[in-house]
Each structure stands twice: as C-alpha cells, then as structure tokens.
C-alpha cells in the first residue's frame, strides 16, 4: 500500500484503510418458512410474467414467411 506524501491532519484518516476490528458481527438470522415461501412465490411470479410477456410478444416480433395470397379489396378499387 502506498503512503501519502502530504501530511494528513488526522492520523486515523490516513490509517483507516488498514484498520481491522476484532469484533465479529453477529450471525445472520435464518429466514422463516413464511419468508422463504414469500420469496419463492415472488420469484415464480416474476418468471411467469417474463414468460407470459414473451409468449404474447413473439407473434409481433416474427416476420411473415410468405407474402399475402392476393390483393385486398382496397387495392382493387372497391
């Protein structure tokens, strides 16, 4: 780690990146069954929404493979 060349008014600011505390954080609480079920339901809802949007949008994104069979009535002058 490089040292600063200019003087720092507060020594703890210069040394803050090297500080390591000896206090361990408390262990994380485990999620309850209701929380896990809620997260799963939310995930499934999001996935179903994306799949549904793709299914609805795919026909609009596809190009027609064959030209129309005939002229429309408007093109014939009727």
């Amino acid at each position: 780690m490089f040292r600063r060349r200019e003087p720092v008014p507060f020594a703890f600011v210069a040394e803050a990146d090297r500080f390591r505390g000896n206090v361990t954080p408390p262990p994380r609480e485990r999620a309850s069954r209701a929380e896990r079920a809620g997260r799963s339901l939310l995930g499934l809802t999001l996935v179903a929404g994306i799949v549904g949007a793709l299914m609805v949008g795919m026909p609009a994104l596809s190009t027609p493979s064959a030209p129309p069979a005939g002229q429309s009535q408007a093109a014939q002058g009727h």
Side-chain angles (χ1 to χ4, degrees), residues 6-74:
E6 72 274 1
V8 179
F10 301 102
F12 65 88
V13 174
E15 304 296 326
D17 56 346
R18 295 190 314 171
F19 177 75
R20 286 184 176 257
N22 61 354
V23 178
T24 58
R28 294 182 63 179
E29 293 183 20
R30 294 185 63 178
S32 66
R33 284 187 182 182
E35 289 175 341
R36 284 186 287 180
R39 290 177 188 166
S40 299
L41 188 60
L42 179 65
L44 288 173
T45 303
L46 290 174
V47 169
I50 292 170
V51 169
L54 285 173
M55 290 178 64
V56 169
M58 286 303 286
L61 295 174
S62 64
T63 58
S65 58
Q71 293 182 342
S72 65
Q73 290 181 354

